[in-house]
Amino acid sequence: MSGRAQLMWDEAVTGYDFGSGHPMDPVRLALTRRLVDAFGLDREVDVVAAKAAGESTLRLVHREDYIDAVKAASADPGAADQSYGLGTMDDPAFAGMHEVSSLIAGQSVGAAEAVWRGEALHAVNFAGGLHHAMPGGASGFCIYNDASLAIARLLELGAERVAYVDVDVHHGDGVQAAFWEDPRVLTISLHEHPRTLFPQTGWPEETGADAAAGSAVNVALPAGTGDAGWLRAFHAIVPELIADFRPQVLVTQHGADTHFEDPLAHLAVSLDAQRAVQVACHDLAHEYADGRWVALGGGGYAVVDVVPRSWTHLVAIAAGRAVEPEATIPEAWRQEVFARTRQLAPARMTDGRWPVGWSAWEEGYDPADRLDQAVLAARRAVFPLRGLLA
């Protein structure tokens, strides 16, 4: 197995563009790639451009009629069929939509193949993590569900246990739906409570179909949760389940929209806590999955201040060349940010909260605390189904 990580990248992924004014501005991808280069991380990884996912691959998750609808909307955006979620406010149709969505999916599938075959120990596709797309429809800025496609490809290649951990602020509903009946896939999502955020799913009672009971895990966090609570919840749920499941591959989704500056959600997590969870996921992959780790991007709409820094940390951790939180951001990148966006770029790779403190679940909990109530609800819903103590 190669000790080097792969960074999946094709400049054409920046064509995933819903148009002016849409929150998912592709500049976030371009700026992340430039920041990776600014820190010299491109020399520490193998930069690979995988081919676009073909129709047979897309059909591992998506219905044929939906793929046909995406192709039709891609060729004629004005005729998009809204019954498939296309041409809506969240998912406007645009020319070439099928091609670039397939390309992003191909990067995640390529990452999964490289890790499974031992060509890379870790692989990162920060353009991916489009976790809301359903088998038969677009949703939440997501056309094809690259995360689900990567997992489905791992199963096709012979994997018997794949764990998916999603720390985006929004529930990983599309991935949960894709594997709702499949006990070979453990999906864990930590997200803002569905009462206060799209897609209004991800309740702790959602635990998988009868044949896969306990294979879906949902931690619904109260709005306003900050670093200490977010890390407490992660460590109270994820490591114990991963240790029990012992996946052959760990797939993680690192939406940066948990951040306190994100305009579309209501958690209060810092860049430093996001980095801490990235490190934890890396360590879990080594402890339980022989190091096989596929790391994806996701949401994140503070496109200058947050997303590039968060995902550059992710690439650095995967590369084994972690960037210190206190590191100064190269001036050339800050100048490029201003030239592209007319915004002032951050100066350091930290929000000033490193190291982030949190209290372990094993030290006890407060049944009157809203964060602890969320953790308890998830543990009580799932842990007994897996033979674990809640």
Side-chain angles (χ1 to χ4, degrees), residues 10 19 25-27 48 58 71 77 81 94 128 139 143 156 198 201-202 204 222 227 271 311 313 354 367:
D10 185 318
D25 188 335
V27 74
V48 176
L58 294 174
K71 287 181 175 178
D81 187 341
F94 59 92
S139 178
I143 306 302
E156 188 178 52
F198 173 90
T201 58
D227 289 358
L271 183 78
W311 292 347
H313 275 305
W354 189 267

Side-chain angles (χ1 to χ4, degrees), residues 16 18 22-24 85 87-93 138-143 198:
Y16 192 81
F18 291 115
H22 193 282
M24 190 176 266
T88 62
M89 221 170 152
D90 273 2
D91 299 284
S139 178
F141 314 161
C142 305
I143 306 302
F198 173 90

Side-chain angles (χ1 to χ4, degrees), residues 46-254:
D46 295 325
V47 181
V48 176
K51 64 181 181 180
E55 192 158 332
S56 63
T57 298
L58 294 174
R59 285 201 304 264
L60 292 174
V61 169
H62 294 290
R63 295 200 321 247
E64 189 168 2
D65 61 311
Y66 173 58
I67 298 168
D68 289 343
V70 174
K71 287 181 175 178
S74 186
D76 183 3
D81 187 341
Q82 292 197 6
S83 70
Y84 288 101
L86 302 167
T88 62
M89 221 170 152
D90 273 2
D91 299 284
F94 59 92
M97 180 171 64
H98 166 75
E99 288 75 15
V100 70
S101 300
S102 300
L103 182 64
I104 290 173
Q107 305 315 302
S108 292
V109 170
E113 291 174 342
V115 166
W116 182 254
R117 291 169 176 162
E119 296 162 7
L121 190 59
H122 312 321
V124 180
N125 176 26
F126 58 72
L130 305 178
H131 59 169
H132 294 307
M134 293 291 176
S139 178
F141 314 161
C142 305
I143 306 302
Y144 292 139
N145 196 317
D146 64 285
S148 293
L149 289 164
I151 295 168
R153 179 62 175 142
L154 287 167
L155 298 177
E156 188 178 52
L157 290 171
E160 296 173 344
R161 295 181 311 283
V162 180
Y164 172 75
V165 177
D166 187 319
V167 296
D168 193 289
V169 78
H170 302 92
H171 177 225
D173 57 340
V175 185
Q176 176 179 286
F179 303 105
W180 184 250
E181 299 178 355
D182 195 333
R184 297 174 296 173
V185 181
L186 174 67
T187 65
I188 307 173
S189 179
L190 284 82
H191 48 267
E192 184 179 327
H193 201 286
R195 282 198 193 95
T196 54
L197 194 66
F198 173 90
Q200 281 78 52
T201 58
W203 298 80
E205 295 79 15
E206 298 169 30
T207 57
D210 288 347
S215 67
V217 186
N218 288 290
V219 189
L221 302 170
T225 297
D227 289 358
W230 195 61
L231 290 172
R232 176 173 168 80
F234 179 92
H235 287 284
I237 296 289
V238 178
E240 192 170 348
L241 289 171
I242 297 297
D244 172 68
F245 190 65
R246 295 199 170 261
Q248 293 160 298
V249 185
L250 179 63
V251 180
T252 57
Q253 195 267 22
H254 297 271

Side-chain angles (χ1 to χ4, degrees), residues 259-279:
H259 195 272
F260 56 77
E261 287 187 16
D262 197 273
L264 298 189
H266 318 97
L267 294 192
V269 173
S270 73
L271 183 78
D272 300 292
Q274 291 177 347
R275 183 186 185 277
V277 160
Q278 294 166 3
V279 170

